[in-house]
Amino acid sequence: TLDSRYLLPELPDSKISERILQLVSGVEERTAVGERSVAGVGDRAGAGDSDGDGAGAGLEKDGAKILSHLSKDVIAIEGSDIRLSCHIQNLNNRTVSWIRHSDTNLLTVGRYAYTSDTRFSPLHPTLTPNYQLRISGVTKSDEGSYECQISTTPPVGHSINLSVVDPVTEILGGPDIFVDSGSTINLTCITRQTAGTPDYVQWFHFNQEISWRGPRSGVSSVMEAGQTTVSQLLMQRAVPADTGNYTCSPHNSRPASVQLHVLEGKHPAAIQAGTSLTVDRVILLVNLLAIRLSRR
């Protein structure tokens, strides 16, 4: 029995069952014939079309139109809160519903959730054409195809694919790194299994961002992006004030941190213990060096 908060006050009781059957049958019919409107999403917008309404870019019925090139697939980090968004024109008094293809489960109708899983909820930002499905704390089991559907007769819908990744970020040599005062600090951050290639990687000393524009002189960083992204932070002439927590933060991955210790004088045993690399990390560094050399 559904909780009363999931009932649909905008639909008469006599119409609820009819509406659910209409929604689910529409999904099953399209699934059976292999229709997937997500194919080519993002590549169909007409060049120079100021309103984005390019030829072949929309799915239309009775004036209501879903702009598929603005209703894109989503790649999410596991555990994050995400939104799937359908861009709809001329909805008028019709209703937007969201359905999960994997089990043909009706998730939302209009402004109301129609599932006992409270992680799912509808959202329509005021005065925008974006009708969204919010998913809190997304998991790998949420992966798959979701359909936004307009209550025309027959219904018109558009499928959006959700992929969930669990990215890995690490700073080589951690969790503690030891360097001599006056030497060059070289921190190397490795990121993989991300939702696409990172646009940038930020470095922080405690909570302050580190860059060549900052007050600390002799700072430089370099990033080589790919399936495995490498970011290196170089700081010349280490001083005791450089001691502390350092964080590597790719824009599309979880951050990683190490504790840097700047030592006065020579401490070979401590330096060796703090910077020793495991065999797999050495192999990774060798492979990355080989890739760089092959690109020259």
Side-chain angles (χ1 to χ4, degrees):
T1 304
L2 286 173
D3 192 302
S4 61
R5 65 195 176 106
Y6 297 115
L7 295 180
L8 311 177
E10 84 254 41
L11 295 177
D13 291 344
S14 62
K15 295 294 184 180
I16 292 177
S17 296
E18 178 185 344
R19 176 70 180 127
I20 294 173
L21 289 174
Q22 182 187 43
L23 289 164
V24 173
S25 64
V27 173
E28 291 176 337
E29 180 180 354
R30 276 188 295 282
T31 302
V33 299
E35 225 173 271
R36 288 295 182 269
S37 56
V38 292
V41 168
D43 299 325
R44 295 184 293 206
D49 195 342
S50 60
D51 63 358
D53 190 5
L59 305 167
E60 186 171 4
K61 179 69 178 177
D62 297 335
K65 186 173 186 178
I66 301 174
L67 299 186
S68 54
H69 67 288
L70 297 177
S71 309
K72 299 182 179 182
D73 294 349
V74 173
I75 303 176
I77 296 175
E78 188 169 12
S80 63
D81 298 338
I82 60 102
R83 298 178 185 181
L84 308 183
S85 182
C86 266
H87 189 106
I88 300 176
Q89 291 182 341
N90 303 321
L91 182 65
N92 297 325
N93 62 347
R94 301 178 184 89
T95 301
V96 176
S97 304
W98 284 91
I99 303 160
R100 183 168 52 206
H101 274 200
S102 61
D103 54 8
T104 62
N105 188 17
L106 178 61
L107 301 173
T108 69
V109 177
R111 304 189 309 273
Y112 303 95
Y114 205 74
T115 173
S116 58
D117 189 339
T118 57
R119 296 182 307 118
F120 294 87
S121 61
L123 176 67
H124 175 219
T126 306
L127 300 178
T128 74
N130 298 312
Y131 293 81
Q132 300 174 344
L133 174 67
R134 291 187 294 193
I135 308 177
S136 301
V138 68
T139 68
K140 287 290 287 185
S141 63
D142 294 322
E143 280 191 322
S145 184
Y146 293 77
E147 181 171 319
C148 63
Q149 195 175 98
I150 303 174
S151 60
T152 53
T153 305
V156 60
H158 171 71
S159 295
I160 294 176
N161 192 64
L162 171 64
S163 302
V164 180
V165 298
D166 187 14
V168 176
T169 304
E170 64 174 330
I171 300 175
L172 301 184
D176 290 280
I177 296 176
F178 297 83
V179 299
D180 280 328
S181 178
S183 64
T184 297
I185 299 170
N186 184 346
L187 301 181
T188 301
C189 180
I190 306 294
T191 305
R192 58 185 181 274
Q193 299 172 208
T194 54
T197 301
D199 292 334
Y200 56 85
V201 176
Q202 293 175 293
W203 286 90
F204 296 89
H205 183 208
F206 294 109
N207 295 322
Q208 183 175 358
E209 184 177 1
I210 308 169
S211 76
W212 61 270
R213 296 186 297 268
R216 208 284 192 193
S217 61
V219 174
S220 62
S221 63
V222 60
M223 183 181 82
E224 185 164 345
Q227 288 187 335
T228 297
T229 294
V230 181
S231 176
Q232 287 184 301
L233 174 68
L234 302 174
M235 296 190 295
Q236 299 176 7
R237 298 178 296 278
V239 297
D242 293 325
T243 294
N245 179 274
Y246 285 79
T247 298
C248 164
S249 181
H251 97 276
N252 63 346
S253 181
R254 298 185 179 92
S257 297
V258 294
Q259 193 74 17
L260 179 72
H261 306 269
V262 179
L263 306 176
E264 296 285 355
K266 299 292 184 181
H267 299 79
I271 294 172
Q272 184 178 0
T275 59
S276 60
L277 301 179
T278 58
V279 173
D280 59 325
R281 289 177 176 174
V282 172
I283 292 173
L284 176 59
L285 285 174
V286 171
N287 288 337
L288 290 171
L289 179 60
I291 291 173
R292 289 185 180 181
L293 292 174
S294 67
R295 292 177 178 175
R296 292 182 179 179

